[in-house]
Amino acid sequence: MTIKDTPEEWEVRATATPFVGNKTSVRTDDVVMPDGSVARRDYQVHPGSVAVLALDDQDRAVVLRQYRHPVRHKLWEIPAGLLDVPGENPLHAAQRELYEEAHVKAESWRVLTDVYTTPGGCSEAVRIFLARDLSEAEGERFEVEDEEADMELARVPVDELVRGVLAGELHNNCLVVGVLSLIAARNGDGLDALRPAEAPWPARPFES
């Protein structure tokens, strides 16, 4: 038996969009179940995201602390952002987010992992990149606003992040998945065996 996710789409008898927000919307679908019955499913329609686990030469990750209103917490996160331009290359978006949020650039890029953050209630797909060979970016820093104006920036040893994840002290999805995927890759075939930065992403097709 091959353990691999596969695309599939069940029949939708009716659909509506009761809410449209700035970046996402809420959709209601009447979906035909295997027994022929119809069940209503409400979910958030999301454009997708990228995130970056950026490691410096001291094995520290670039992390940000930001207020997240839905969960009423300030969370430590890795740089991330929306893919709100149709067909945008996720690598280019990740490079932009690393520059804007951390004012850092990286010479080495790999795909660390791809995830659906909340597949039972949201269509968001995230590609998490591993970025290495870091240096300070040139030019002016990106002008931040709203929650980002209160954002803190730090470089934290990977071992400390792993400890925090397993202790239940760090909760951001991309940070947790990224850090644990990094450890798994190191303990497996090594970081150079990770997929190239331009690897296909069926969940969100893009232009090279």
Side-chain angles (χ1 to χ4, degrees):
M1 181 179 179
T2 301
I3 304 299
K4 181 180 180 180
D5 296 338
T6 55
E8 185 168 315
E9 188 168 355
W10 292 1
E11 179 186 354
V12 175
R13 292 278 174 85
T15 187
T17 307
F19 172 79
V20 177
N22 185 32
K23 298 292 185 181
T24 66
S25 60
V26 172
R27 184 177 296 167
T28 297
D29 289 343
D30 291 340
V31 186
V32 179
M33 298 290 109
D35 64 358
S37 63
V38 176
R40 178 157 292 178
R41 295 290 178 259
D42 303 316
Y43 59 100
Q44 182 185 23
V45 179
H46 195 287
S49 306
V50 291
V52 185
L53 183 60
L55 293 182
D56 66 15
D57 57 6
Q58 299 179 51
D59 205 39
R60 300 176 303 175
V62 176
V63 292
L64 318 162
R65 188 169 183 245
Q66 186 172 344
Y67 176 65
R68 294 301 188 183
H69 186 70
V71 296
R72 302 326 195 251
H73 270 72
K74 273 191 171 182
L75 299 179
W76 284 104
E77 307 178 352
I78 56 177
L82 294 176
L83 288 166
D84 47 7
V85 178
E88 183 177 18
N89 187 304
L91 174 61
H92 299 166
Q95 291 169 333
R96 181 190 66 237
E97 292 300 330
L98 186 60
Y99 169 78
E100 291 181 355
E101 295 193 345
H103 203 65
V104 166
K105 63 180 181 179
E107 297 300 323
S108 174
W109 290 82
R110 292 275 184 170
V111 174
L112 191 53
T113 191
D114 300 322
V115 294
Y116 290 114
T117 55
T118 318
C122 180
S123 67
E124 182 182 18
V126 181
R127 168 154 282 187
I128 303 176
F129 289 91
L130 174 65
R132 293 175 289 171
D133 299 330
L134 307 185
S135 61
E136 291 297 315
E138 299 175 354
E140 296 183 4
R141 288 186 173 272
F142 182 74
E143 187 173 343
V144 297
E145 58 185 10
D146 300 330
E147 289 93 342
E148 291 183 349
D150 188 51
M151 193 165 59
E152 301 171 49
L153 181 65
R155 295 193 182 197
V156 178
V158 168
D159 289 347
E160 179 64 16
L161 294 176
V162 172
R163 186 206 62 78
V165 168
L166 299 180
E169 298 169 356
L170 299 172
H171 307 87
N172 174 261
N173 182 287
C174 292
L175 184 150
V176 171
V177 173
V179 166
L180 298 186
S181 294
L182 172 70
I183 299 305
R186 283 178 170 170
N187 291 336
D189 294 331
L191 301 185
D192 291 335
L194 291 168
R195 286 172 291 161
E198 296 275 10
W201 188 14
R204 193 185 184 284
F206 62 92
E207 301 170 4
S208 298

